[in-house]
Amino acid sequence: MNAKSTPRFNPHALPFLFLTTILLLSISFAVYAVPNVPLNFDGWVIDALARLETVGVIDGFHRNSLPLSRADVARIVQRTDERINAGDVVVSQIDSQLLEKLKREFQVEILRLNEQTSKQKTYIRLQPELRGANEEIAPALHSGLHYSIGNRRNNLTIYSELEFTNFEQGPDFVESYFLPEPPPLLKSADQRYERWRGDYVVDFKRSYLQYHMMPFGDAELDILVGRDFVFWGAGSDKSVGISDNSPPFELIRLVGTFPCKIGTLKVTVFSAQLDATWFDDGTKRYEARRYLSAHRLDYRYGDWLEVGVSEWVLYGGNVQSVEWNYLNPVIPYYAVQYNAKRDDNLMLGFDAAVRPIDGVRLYAEWVADDFQYNPETDDPNAVTWLTGVEWYPMLTKRQLGIHTEYVRVNRWAYTHLDPDNQFTHFGTMIGHPIGTDADLFTFRVSYQATPSAVFETRMSHQRNGEADITDRFYGEDYENIPFPSGVVERLIELRIGCKYRPISGLNGSVDYGWRHIQNSEHKQDISKQQHRIVFLIAYAWGIP
């Protein structure tokens, strides 16, 4: 897209126009990309929780291990309300209004927390949308079904989220248009979806069965089977570890939350099947089946400290099947790989977030794709990391938010000597979207005008080296290779936008971005500019 692009209407979308004729223009800004709470189509709940935790209203939650369920959010809101009633925290006017908005959204789940009898609840929500970018304007439909039966200690949930659209995009419609073009990846052998008339796609973005139990005391166990996103890390947008940048996983996931004498421990284990890829080196060709297994410990102490450690392994190959050793949630994957003399793509991640004072959050992530602890080795460290600061100044009544973040993905991170084991899913990076041999600095300022209206502007500077995820280490003199490598592409972007997101009714977003690219496509002294406008108008209603 560029400044000369002219919006066009898709004539094949005419049958769906009546869904959007009731929509009036309203403005809003892009949402964060961390996995949303079920039926939270625009992400405002996660945004509200993150803000309330940083300013000290919420007594902490496992923000670095997402997604959350509706029951999870209800428990967070209830604990926060108890703190306020006890006089443990003073809440500003805007944060009080945000908390009331959360209480209205999760009133049914909050009431069920103290009920022991069997109850059931069904949510059905529809959100017809008019989506627009520089080159296209067309209707879309987002819908979800949420059915839960049981009580506080034992309940079963069925969830299914469907999207009907003709836009090429990632998990977040708006953010997808402001990401640089992804690096070239190996072609997937599997098909994610089939396009219909007018290039429309019907896609079940999330769909699963989840069983929640409290077998003893306040300990909680959740078992989920189906399709869902995973987000592990302290970043407020994307993670350098397992992020929601790629399509959702087909997985089996077990989550346990255990209150301790000091703090709370959350344990997450999952195994997923990834897309298959083609291998063809000119002498042999086969379809590689690929799998991802992961486990994580996340410790939280009150509302001021959260520390996590994760380990995951991606493996695949010709006639590859599930490795039962990797399904063991207790054994370290490194020990399994070392003893079996395998060469799978094993990664280790650490993340931490600390809130030293109300209104300030410091966080960092570090992931080792290949860390050389042996000083005699001649191989490089393939690591990636990010760090950031969130600040809500007291002088502005906490309505102003300032956020800065730096991300660096070193060369050879996310890749592997065996192309079957590269860190991708359906041709998309599972980790941070900037890919490998790149870094990104972001500075943004937001203003929470009302509980539903936020204005935001941001500036970012990104550098992309010539290497990408298809690049492999073959003994190069890496100590003399600069970072980023080769002819470096530099992107400077300025964005401004606003968002209006009530619980139901009319909502939407509008964003404008200007981008200047130096050494475009790694060609020396070739520069270009881009102007992008993305808007979303929607009307959300449903049966609570």
Side-chain angles (χ1 to χ4, degrees), residues 160-337:
S160 186
E161 181 180 331
L162 181 146
E163 186 173 55
F164 184 68
T165 180
N166 68 343
F167 281 90
E168 292 276 0
Q169 66 191 61
D172 183 273
F173 166 70
V174 178
E175 291 291 336
S176 300
Y177 283 95
F178 292 95
L179 291 173
E181 292 296 323
L185 306 174
L186 296 184
K187 185 177 180 180
S188 175
D190 285 344
Q191 185 167 311
R192 179 75 175 91
Y193 43 67
E194 176 67 20
R195 291 200 171 273
W196 193 43
R197 294 186 59 185
D199 282 337
Y200 269 80
V201 167
V202 179
D203 184 24
F204 287 88
K205 298 181 69 175
R206 304 170 74 186
S207 190
Y208 54 76
L209 291 173
Q210 183 177 21
Y211 183 68
H212 172 267
M213 69 185 88
M214 299 181 68
F216 52 88
D218 292 328
E220 302 175 27
L221 292 177
D222 280 281
I223 301 174
L224 183 146
V225 179
R227 174 181 295 180
D228 200 8
F229 289 101
V230 177
F231 187 100
W232 289 355
S236 63
D237 188 10
K238 294 294 184 183
S239 168
V240 294
I242 298 180
S243 183
D244 63 343
N245 184 58
S246 71
F249 302 124
E250 312 292 345
L251 51 74
I252 298 176
R253 185 172 68 216
L254 175 64
V255 179
T257 305
F258 307 96
C260 308
K261 290 185 178 180
I262 301 179
T264 305
L265 182 67
K266 184 174 182 178
V267 182
T268 308
V269 180
F270 77 85
S271 288
Q273 180 171 341
L274 305 180
D275 67 312
T277 57
W278 289 115
F279 178 87
D280 189 352
D281 63 358
T283 60
K284 60 179 177 179
R285 185 175 188 269
Y286 61 83
E287 184 184 60
R289 289 291 174 185
R290 309 192 312 137
Y291 303 88
L292 177 67
S293 292
H295 44 215
R296 172 178 173 85
L297 296 176
D298 188 303
Y299 173 77
R300 176 179 61 83
Y301 182 71
D303 62 349
W304 74 273
L305 177 65
E306 184 174 1
V307 179
V309 56
S310 310
E311 188 186 29
W312 56 90
V313 58
L314 193 156
Y315 59 98
N318 191 17
V319 297
Q320 178 71 56
S321 60
V322 173
E323 293 289 341
W324 290 94
N325 290 336
Y326 290 143
L327 300 184
N328 191 318
V330 179
I331 298 177
Y333 297 141
Y334 178 82
V336 173
Q337 179 184 241

Side-chain angles (χ1 to χ4, degrees), residues 33-68:
V34 289
N36 298 336
V37 174
L39 292 175
N40 172 34
F41 292 152
D42 60 4
W44 73 265
V45 173
I46 295 294
D47 289 357
L49 292 177
R51 172 193 166 82
L52 292 174
E53 182 198 40
T54 302
V55 300
V57 176
I58 289 178
D59 188 22
F61 69 100
H62 290 277
R63 179 173 170 180
N64 300 356
S65 297
L66 297 174
L68 300 175

